[in-house]
Amino acid sequence: MQSNTALYSLVQTLLDVYRFDSGAKKFNMRPSNMAAIITRVATEIMPLAQEKDVQLKATLPADSKDIVCDEDEIRRVIQNLIDNSLKFTPAGGTITVSMRQDQDKTVVSVADSGKGIPEENKPKLFQRFWQAGSTGRYYASTGLGLSLGRRIMEGHEGRIWCDSTHGQGSTFSFEMSNKIQG
């Protein structure tokens, strides 16, 4: 069952990459609550984090305003960022998903206490099919998650980036306008 789910996910990802490349990808933009999206994703991933003995927590504002976005695609970006952090955070580590909003924008960050990213790998992070290696462990991955995340954020007139110090963990963040004209 798990291998069927992984294969289905891989096919969906490849189809979405094709849709972006061909210009056929359409977003379903509607008002959504980012804090609620983060809470749902974190709750779903929590059992995997517990299995790895990694603390997963969300730091969210007490009140947040809805923003216009494609909830499914934003959910995909958040899930991918948390999944990536789980791959590279050792047992006993921590992953924190946070969100902040101001008048103009919403910023979501996924910070981990993993091994961080060497400086020479940072320019490659959002390239297609590129995967961090050298851990000696195999991860079921296409190397498309961050590239697709970048495309999704561009479709939301936003951006995605990474701050990381090798040996000290990574923080992946994305930012989008609260006033998207869909």
Side-chain angles (χ1 to χ4, degrees):
M1 172 86 168
Q2 189 174 4
S3 62
N4 288 343
T5 303
L7 183 58
Y8 177 77
S9 178
L10 170 64
V11 170
Q12 286 301 115
T13 299
L14 290 171
L15 286 172
D16 280 336
V17 167
Y18 171 75
R19 286 181 191 112
F20 273 109
D21 287 351
S22 69
K25 180 66 179 167
K26 303 289 185 228
F27 288 103
N28 180 18
M29 304 296 263
R30 64 181 192 270
S32 300
N33 187 283
M34 187 68 72
I37 297 169
I38 292 168
T39 299
R40 278 195 303 275
V41 173
T43 300
E44 291 168 4
I45 296 176
M46 188 69 69
L48 292 173
Q50 290 170 339
E51 186 178 301
K52 277 198 69 178
D53 189 29
V54 171
Q55 181 183 10
L56 173 60
K57 57 186 177 179
T59 304
L60 305 171
D63 60 334
S64 61
K65 56 186 166 200
D66 286 358
I67 62 169
V68 176
C69 67
D70 183 319
E71 187 171 324
D72 292 335
E73 295 302 331
I74 295 301
R75 177 183 161 72
R76 172 188 270 182
V77 173
I78 295 166
Q79 182 172 346
N80 180 264
L81 295 178
I82 296 172
D83 284 345
N84 284 349
S85 287
L86 273 173
K87 289 176 190 173
F88 299 104
T89 301
T94 303
I95 298 170
T96 303
V97 185
S98 61
M99 180 190 110
R100 67 182 189 276
Q101 283 184 319
D102 63 24
Q103 195 77 2
D104 301 319
K105 66 183 180 273
T106 296
V107 178
V108 174
S109 297
V110 177
D112 66 54
S113 62
K115 64 181 189 165
I117 299 165
E119 205 58 42
E120 65 271 13
N121 288 345
K122 289 179 184 177
K124 304 171 194 170
L125 285 173
F126 297 95
Q127 293 177 5
R128 270 193 208 170
F129 304 114
W130 188 82
Q131 297 179 48
S134 74
T135 61
R137 296 181 62 189
Y138 171 76
Y139 296 105
S141 177
T142 60
L144 292 171
L146 290 175
S147 174
L148 195 54
R150 186 188 72 218
R151 298 293 292 270
I152 291 167
M153 293 318 304
E154 288 169 352
H156 282 80
E157 300 174 11
R159 66 186 186 107
I160 187 170
W161 70 94
C162 175
D163 295 307
S164 183
T165 301
H166 192 235
Q168 297 181 19
S170 302
T171 301
F172 283 83
S173 302
F174 65 85
E175 171 184 277
M176 37 194 294
S177 170
N178 292 340
K179 299 176 175 100
I180 293 176
Q181 304 299 316

